[in-house]
Amino acid sequence: MIITYVESSPVLVWRFDRPRLAISSAPYGGGVGERGWVLNATVPHGYDRLDPDQHVAEIAAELKLTGPGTGLLTAVDVRKVVSVTERGVTAEVTTGVGDPTWAAAPDAAGERIGTINAVCRLPIRLSPAALVNAVATVTEAKSQALFEAGVAGTGTATDAIVLLCPTFGPVEPYGGPRSRVGAALARAVHEAVSSGLR
């Protein structure tokens, strides 16, 4: 991961020598597939573009990122990223909770300030089912950290996750919080979000 700048705004960039298998909820390059890069860019408070995917594409072009990738946006200063590694699993999280919400809350118009973006790198390949399970594990660990910090919500309306693992090697069939990889992932995300909140 490096920190660079586009139009004076900080951007975190991950470039990989070989593509990684990713599952992502990012506005650009979301879904499941091989990705050669990830970015997490700071945008101004009051950001009102309705085409975040195009905006990420513009940032990627400025940084000369080519091929399939995935990109996140946040009003948080991404230079405040917290990186935690546990047993080969690395979680790099930018934490903003200016407008937290409960997942099952009634519809309401919020200001959508703040975002928790988690980029997590796993040392072994996960099966498709384990990748989906690992997304749930990240969400649970994030929500646990928010609960312990007294935040009135399970996250924000714009939280996003990128999980990356190798495209080769033995396949790990489980990604839940008590599995070998999932337990390390849960602890790394929990500590990263907790540190970000502090």
Side-chain angles (χ1 to χ4, degrees), residues 1-191:
M1 175 189 65
I2 63 164
I3 298 176
T4 187
Y5 293 83
V6 172
E7 295 180 359
S8 75
S9 293
V11 182
L12 300 177
V13 179
W14 295 258
R15 298 177 199 246
F16 309 116
D17 294 336
R18 331 173 46 155
R20 305 284 179 96
L21 178 60
I23 185 167
S24 170
S25 62
Y28 179 91
V32 179
E34 294 187 9
R35 304 290 183 261
W37 55 265
V38 178
L39 70 80
N40 186 12
T42 297
V43 296
H45 288 281
Y47 181 79
D48 59 0
R49 282 188 65 162
L50 300 177
D51 60 346
D53 55 336
Q54 180 58 38
H55 190 190
V56 172
E58 292 164 10
I59 294 169
E62 179 78 17
L63 296 173
K64 297 182 173 39
L65 296 169
T66 58
T70 187
L72 309 155
L73 301 172
T74 178
V76 173
D77 183 340
V78 296
R79 292 171 296 186
K80 295 180 180 176
V81 63
V82 176
S83 181
V84 175
T85 299
E86 167 101 14
R87 290 199 326 236
V89 173
T90 300
E92 288 159 317
V93 182
T94 52
T95 301
V97 289
D99 189 15
T101 186
W102 296 104
D107 289 342
E111 294 182 21
R112 300 181 63 145
I113 297 171
T115 296
I116 300 173
N117 283 342
V119 177
C120 305
R121 292 175 288 133
L122 311 175
I124 60 174
R125 185 162 61 122
L126 269 61
S127 71
L131 276 174
V132 174
N133 203 180
V135 169
T137 295
V138 170
T139 304
E140 290 172 16
K142 173 193 72 173
S143 297
Q144 180 182 339
L146 294 172
F147 175 79
E148 291 171 354
V151 175
T154 50
T156 81
T158 55
D159 292 353
I161 296 169
V162 178
L163 284 172
L164 303 139
C165 67
T167 59
F168 55 89
V171 177
E172 176 66 34
Y174 305 112
R178 296 287 63 86
S179 68
R180 184 169 54 120
V181 174
L185 176 63
R187 286 192 290 268
V189 169
H190 177 267
E191 178 54 33

